[in-house]
Amino acid sequence: MKEKDIKRQASPAQESKPKQTSEENRLFSAKNLKLLTRPFGADNPVTVQVLGICSALAVTVKLQPALVMAVSVIVVTGFANLIISLLRNTIPPRIRIIVQLTVIATLVILVDQVLKAVAYDVSKQLSVFVGLIITNCIVMGRLEAFAMANKPWPSFLDGIGNGAGYGFILVIVAFIRELFGSGSLLGYKVIPESFYDAGYVNNGLFILPPMALIVLGVIIWIHRSFNRNLIEK
């Protein structure tokens, strides 16, 4: 009887290990989903880590360029993380930065060429700022902090998540600036003519670069007021 009891007590522990392992190996396990969701909250690269601020000044006057820039960064960050993770065990430590920059530059050139072929007008609006994704601290930061030490799939999700978290803030800033600065969204007038007839005037301050910092500062303030753990003591 004792041997049977021992087997019964041992069997649940033995059964739990395969379940735990299968949970970890799932493509969208809870751990992997956090890589996608955390950059929208407690680990946002813009409002928490204060990275990628320069592009918030340049491409958020209108919503369309901000959306295209957001998608471009998501693609570059996601695939750069994936490629570097696949190569991480073969990259000599001394030249890892050079390899990372080469991968990022290649992806940025591909994205830029696709934009010129598919959305030439938006590509002209973005001008050199697509090329400056190469110097975006978010991309390099994720390669160094995550992709060089993790497997390809989690690295890809981490890149997508951080790119999306960055793009989310970019789109919010552009939404506010275009709405109040131009009275439109995606080029379509959304404020009724009756408002203008009653004396409403678009606020030209919103289309100036300083307003991007002001809007971004307000977003950071709101974010930290809801999450007290982000406030430095």
Side-chain angles (χ1 to χ4, degrees):
M1 293 292 291
K2 290 182 179 179
E3 290 181 2
K4 289 182 179 179
D5 293 337
I6 291 170
K7 288 180 180 179
R8 286 175 183 173
Q9 291 174 1
S11 60
Q14 291 173 353
E15 289 176 1
S16 63
K17 286 182 181 179
K19 287 181 180 178
Q20 187 176 1
T21 305
S22 63
E23 174 66 22
E24 290 177 355
N25 290 333
R26 283 174 54 200
L27 290 179
F28 292 101
S29 62
K31 185 178 179 181
N32 286 341
L33 284 175
K34 281 185 180 180
L35 298 174
L36 289 172
T37 57
R38 279 185 66 83
F40 285 90
D43 272 340
N44 188 276
V46 180
T47 60
V48 178
Q49 302 171 37
V50 196
L51 300 174
I53 300 297
C54 296
S55 54
L57 298 174
V59 302
T60 56
V61 177
K62 293 186 177 181
L63 188 56
Q64 188 180 23
L67 284 168
V68 174
M69 187 69 169
V71 173
S72 300
V73 172
I74 290 170
V75 171
V76 171
T77 309
F79 283 98
N81 265 23
L82 176 63
I83 293 168
I84 292 299
S85 179
L86 289 169
L87 299 175
R88 71 188 186 281
N89 294 325
T90 62
I91 301 174
R94 290 184 180 180
I95 62 167
R96 72 184 191 283
I97 301 298
I98 297 173
V99 174
Q100 291 169 11
L101 284 173
T102 302
V103 170
I104 295 169
T106 303
L107 290 169
V108 168
I109 290 169
L110 289 173
V111 168
D112 188 39
Q113 293 303 309
V114 170
L115 283 178
K116 286 179 178 177
V118 176
Y120 184 71
D121 291 337
V122 179
S123 177
K124 284 203 307 183
Q125 290 180 44
L126 290 173
S127 183
V128 299
F129 297 105
V130 173
L132 288 176
I133 295 174
I134 298 170
T135 62
N136 195 316
C137 300
I138 297 169
V139 185
M140 286 294 296
R142 296 326 298 167
L143 295 183
E144 276 289 290
F146 199 91
M148 288 294 292
N150 290 275
K151 294 180 180 180
W153 178 245
S155 297
F156 180 70
L157 293 181
D158 178 80
I160 295 294
N162 277 273
Y166 160 84
F168 176 66
I169 299 300
L170 216 65
V171 167
I172 291 175
V173 175
F175 178 92
I176 294 170
R177 292 183 69 192
E178 185 176 0
L179 178 63
F180 293 103
S182 303
S184 61
L185 290 173
L186 295 173
Y188 296 98
K189 287 289 182 182
V190 294
I191 296 178
E193 281 295 329
S194 57
F195 278 49
Y196 293 102
D197 295 338
Y200 178 83
V201 178
N202 293 328
N203 191 336
L205 180 63
F206 276 87
I207 62 176
L208 298 177
M211 199 61 197
L213 282 179
I214 295 171
V215 173
L216 194 56
V218 172
I219 293 171
I220 292 173
W221 172 64
I222 293 171
H223 186 204
R224 298 194 178 202
S225 66
F226 281 101
N227 193 340
R228 294 288 179 176
N229 295 326
L230 299 175
I231 301 175
E232 298 176 1
K233 295 182 181 180

